[in-house]
């Protein structure tokens, strides 16, 4: 009975959408990279860097949207490094990605200490506030859940729509998808596979960083070292879960977030008093693995994912 | 072409020279192509055909010489220049993305990348119009991954036509087609010529060159060695020009077959992905006989070859080797039964690229013949490799060379030597001459015929019908995992086999039996 109550409450769904927002940004970023044929394991570190960069920029005096832009550019810079190593140099995408994650994470911590050498607890910023969309936010349950979020959450949904439109409805998106399926088909048309793949990695990395920035600028109002906490890796799984399709990946992100919001609430019920809380913490991951097994069996992986392209080689 | 129109040269290559280090891939090559003409570019692997086309398409920049298209000099090193000027290329390895639809593949790169919409309606209408005009039947909404090889080639041609190509370059276009599909391709090409297109036809198949071209250019070691109007030459002359010497094909005499070495009775196996398994296949591989397996690739050849090499076991039916039903069928037991394999892909499953020649020579026998008490006997391995190099005329620096540095022909000679050396009873030759030049092809064919005469049962799997018909004493056709009855040497014409390859006749045969 209590379970049903949780599922029908507006606050539960509002929390789910809020938890999903950073995942949505970063999942779209990863999806764009992978559709072009590049696995971006730098995602975890880029999210950390984005979380820090957006927050510190606002702390230093920029407006909130200025902070988002700084996060975006920070992510794109790491994307540029990743893409130079993984695309024209054709290095192992696994090694490059893990390297970028380590680099971005450590560089972030270093910068934090350089900028704030004395503080024991990180300063707070004036974060994004919920913005109630007139009329729509008045709908019962759905209104407070979907239409009383922060502007950055709305932006996440816009990013999904734009990603889907560009990928499926424009010549550029077609070229990106073809670069991930058969790069020689792209090269045979006189298009540059290198430019397309690098562009996708740079844009995708920018979105990952905005996903990170959501944590410090919308979900919370400060920066902590372990706040990304594996969300990047979850996004990589969500791309697979979504079968490399933006709409399905969005559903996956919301589903995962709903599990997460659900377990938090479940901890406060009588059941939570008996079962150790670690079991609840584990639940979203456990259920995600089950969902992944069920959903991704028939998924069509981009055929050239993780295959470097060298012009002239066949 | 009507007589009144003046002949118009659409493409002119002048003195093209391209060097890679000490290798001269193209040596002062000059030729021209007229409107409405089919020029065949003939040459062996490594003769410089691909380099020449890559220069035309701006993938490489020529060291000397220039390309002139429709009277305009082409800027070197710009991949879009030739495309924009109206040259379309149908690559040997199709440049299509299997996960995308036909229309998406066709429109890829044909619109400015900054455009806001793909306009699918318009694109599909234009594709339908083109496919009606050129009789290239294909569904624009179909996914390319689900199409047959012949249909994929149509998509490639449509891709060029969609861009208003006025010159079509086809690189080995018939390599994967059935005879019927080849005929259909040729009539499409003739239609295209009638509409004023010009065609460069790259091939090493002499009879097709004779059938479709107006003029033949022969490339050898990067040089243009001959130019002949097709009407004034013949296959023998062209073959000699291509190789640079008289070509003598090995004599294949009919054989008298012995007892069956391996028999399949209504054997079925599981398929893999979209590749079919075997469907109640019945066949005998007899001693002293070459059995040819014809068919379009992806119709169960892999399943049969996996079955014989022990990678896969039957799910129903009876399989006997040397009269004994098989049990515990693995690659090891297959080798134990005297089955030797020439794998389809010599680079990936035939050899280990970074191992030396000597190491590759003992991949199947290292355990028994080249080790003592569990320790490798490297001296024997080396002397064995040296023997193979001498016996099978493998051109290489020595037994310690890494195998990836060998040419395809020499790699295949090594595999052949490795296989024939231990006197196998059954030889599974899967595409044994794919990608080899004529000299190497004749060598491999000669050796297979010798092995047959020495009593081996040979199964020859090939997509090249000419090869099948020349070598085989008996031919089966495979289609969607089903096997035709055996046809004796000389009883079938290519068109008859082509009908079976397209899947006709199996129902009737099933009823009759």
């Amino acid at each position: 009975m209590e379970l049903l109550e949780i599922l029908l409450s507006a606050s539960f769904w509002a929390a789910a959408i809020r938890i999903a927002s950073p995942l949505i940004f970063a999942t779209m970023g990863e999806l764009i990279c992978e559709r072009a044929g590049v696995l971006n394991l730098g995602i975890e570190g880029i999210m950390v860097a984005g979380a820090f960069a957006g927050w510190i920029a606002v702390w230093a005096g920029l407006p909130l949207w200025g902070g988002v832009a700084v996060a975006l550019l920070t992510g794109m810079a790491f994307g540029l490094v990743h893409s130079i190593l993984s695309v024209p140099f054709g290095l192992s995408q696994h090694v490059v990605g893990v390297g970028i994650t380590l680099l971005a994470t450590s560089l972030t911590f270093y910068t934090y200490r350089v900028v704030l050498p004395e503080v024991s607890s990180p300063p707070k910023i004036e974060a994004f506030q919920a913005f109630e969309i007139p009329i729509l936010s008045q709908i019962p349950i759905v209104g407070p859940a979907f239409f009383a979020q922060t502007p950055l959450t709305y932006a996440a949904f816009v990013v999904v729509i734009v990603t889907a439109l560009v990928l499926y409805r424009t010549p550029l998106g077609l070229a990106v998808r073809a670069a991930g399926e058969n790069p020689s088909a792209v090269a045979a048309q006189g298009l540059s596979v290198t430019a397309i793949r690098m562009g996708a990695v740079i844009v995708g990395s920018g979105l990952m960083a905005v996903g990170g920035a959501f944590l410090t600028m919308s979900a919370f109002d400060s920066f902590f070292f372990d706040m990304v906490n594996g969300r990047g890796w979850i996004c990589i799984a969500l791309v697979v879960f979504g079968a490399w399709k933006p709409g399905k990946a969005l559903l996956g992100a919301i589903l995962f977030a709903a599990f997460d919001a659900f377990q938090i609430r479940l901890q406060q019920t009588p059941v939570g008093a008996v079962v150790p809380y670690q079991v609840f913490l584990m639940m979203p991951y456990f259920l995600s693995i089950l969902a992944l097994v069920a959903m991704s069996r028939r998924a069509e992986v981009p055929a050239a994912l993780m295959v470097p392209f060298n012009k002239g080689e066949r | 072409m009507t007589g009144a129109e003046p002949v118009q040269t659409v493409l002119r290559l002048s003195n093209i020279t391209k060097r890679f280090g000490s290798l001269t891939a193209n040596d002062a090559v000059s030729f021209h192509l007229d409107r409405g003409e089919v020029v065949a570019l003939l040459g062996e692997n490594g003769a410089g055909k691909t380099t020449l086309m890559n220069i035309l398409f701006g993938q490489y920049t020529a060291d000397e010489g220039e390309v002139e298209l429709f009277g305009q000099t082409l800027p070197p090193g710009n991949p879009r220049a030739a495309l924009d000027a109206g040259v379309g290329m149908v690559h040997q390895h199709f440049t299509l993305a299997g996960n995308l639809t036909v229309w998406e593949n066709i429109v890829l790169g044909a619109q400015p990348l900054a455009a806001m919409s793909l306009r699918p309606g318009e694109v599909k209408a234009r594709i339908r119009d083109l496919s009606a005009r050129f009789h290239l039947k294909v569904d624009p909404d179909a996914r390319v991954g689900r199409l047959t090889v012949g249909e994929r080639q149509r998509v490639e041609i449509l891709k060029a036509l969609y861009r208003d190509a006025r010159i079509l370059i086809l690189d080995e276009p018939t390599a994967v087609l059935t005879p019927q599909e080849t005929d259909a391709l040729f009539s499409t090409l003739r239609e295209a010529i009638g509409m004023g297109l010009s065609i460069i036809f790259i091939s090493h198949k002499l009879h097709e060159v004779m059938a479709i071209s107006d003029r033949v250019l022969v490339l050898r070691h990067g040089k243009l060695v001959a130019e002949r109007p097709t009407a004034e030459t013949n296959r023998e002359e062209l073959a000699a020009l291509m190789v640079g010497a008289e070509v003598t094909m090995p004599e294949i005499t009919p054989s008298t077959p012995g007892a069956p070495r391996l028999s399949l009775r209504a054997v079925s196996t599981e398929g893999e992905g979209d590749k079919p398994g075997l469907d109640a296949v019945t066949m005998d591989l007899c001693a002293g006989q070459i059995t040819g397996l014809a068919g379009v690739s992806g119709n169960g050849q892999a399943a049969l070859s996996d079955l014989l090499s022990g990678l896969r076991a039957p799910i129903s039916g009876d399989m006997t080797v040397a009269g004994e039903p098989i049990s515990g069928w693995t690659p090891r037991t297959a080798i134990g039964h005297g089955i030797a394999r020439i794998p389809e892909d010599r680079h990936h499953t035939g050899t280990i690229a970074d191992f030396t020649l000597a190491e590759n020579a003992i991949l199947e026998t290292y355990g028994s013949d080249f080790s003592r008490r569990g320790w490798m006997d490297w001296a024997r391995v080396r002397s064995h490799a040296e023997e193979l190099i001498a016996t099978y005329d493998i051109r290489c620096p020595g037994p310690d060379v890494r195998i990836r540095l060998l040419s395809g022909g020499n790699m295949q000679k090594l595999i052949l030597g490795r296989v024939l050396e231990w006197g196998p009873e059954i030889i599974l030759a899967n595409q044994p001459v794919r990608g080899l030049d004529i000299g190497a092809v004749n060598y491999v064919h000669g050796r297979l015929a010798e092995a047959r005469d020495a009593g081996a049962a040979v199964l020859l799997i090939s997509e090249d019908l000419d090869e099948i018909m020349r070598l085989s004493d008996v031919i089966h056709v495979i289609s969607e995992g089903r096997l035709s009855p055996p046809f004796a040497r000389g009883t079938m014409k290519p068109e008859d086999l082509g009908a079976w390859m397209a899947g006709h006749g199996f129902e009737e045969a099933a009823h009759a039996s």
Side-chain angles (χ1 to χ4, degrees), chain B residues 357 385 389-390 393-402 405-407 410:
Chain B
L357 187 153
I389 291 171
D393 187 30
I394 303 169
R395 311 274 168 85
C396 66
D400 296 324
V401 66
R402 283 187 307 148
L405 300 176
L406 263 56
S407 75
N410 283 311

Side-chain angles (χ1 to χ4, degrees), chain B residues 29-144:
Chain B
V29 176
S30 302
F31 73 87
H32 68 96
L33 176 70
D34 290 336
R35 187 167 189 269
E37 188 188 30
V38 181
V39 167
L41 204 55
L42 194 64
E44 303 220 281
N45 292 314
K49 297 171 294 184
T50 310
T51 307
L52 201 57
M53 291 306 119
N54 279 334
I55 288 170
L56 172 57
F57 272 94
Q59 304 285 356
Y60 297 145
T61 311
D63 297 319
E64 284 160 41
E66 62 173 28
V67 181
E68 211 176 274
L69 261 176
F70 305 103
Q72 305 276 313
T73 304
L74 204 65
N78 178 357
R80 283 218 70 103
L83 286 166
D84 292 342
V87 185
M89 175 124 185
V90 176
H91 293 265
Q92 182 183 2
H93 306 282
F94 302 147
T95 51
L96 300 172
N99 244 341
L100 307 183
T101 62
V102 168
W103 74 266
E104 285 175 328
N105 267 290
I106 290 176
V107 83
L108 170 66
Q111 300 172 339
L113 282 188
M116 289 304 288
S117 167
L118 283 165
R119 300 193 305 278
E122 246 171 78
V123 171
K124 285 186 226 171
R126 187 161 145 71
I127 292 170
R128 288 203 186 88
D129 172 51
L130 283 170
S131 58
R133 273 210 339 246
F134 288 89
H135 301 291
L136 292 161
K137 199 166 156 275
V138 65
D139 171 16
D141 287 308
R143 290 219 303 170
V144 165

Side-chain angles (χ1 to χ4, degrees), chain B residues 11 20 68 74 163 179 190 209 230 309 363 374 393 463 500:
Chain B
L11 170 69
F20 295 104
E68 211 176 274
L74 204 65
R163 287 157 178 75
R190 291 200 184 94
V209 166
T230 310
S309 45
L363 284 182
D393 187 30
E463 286 159 24
W500 284 89

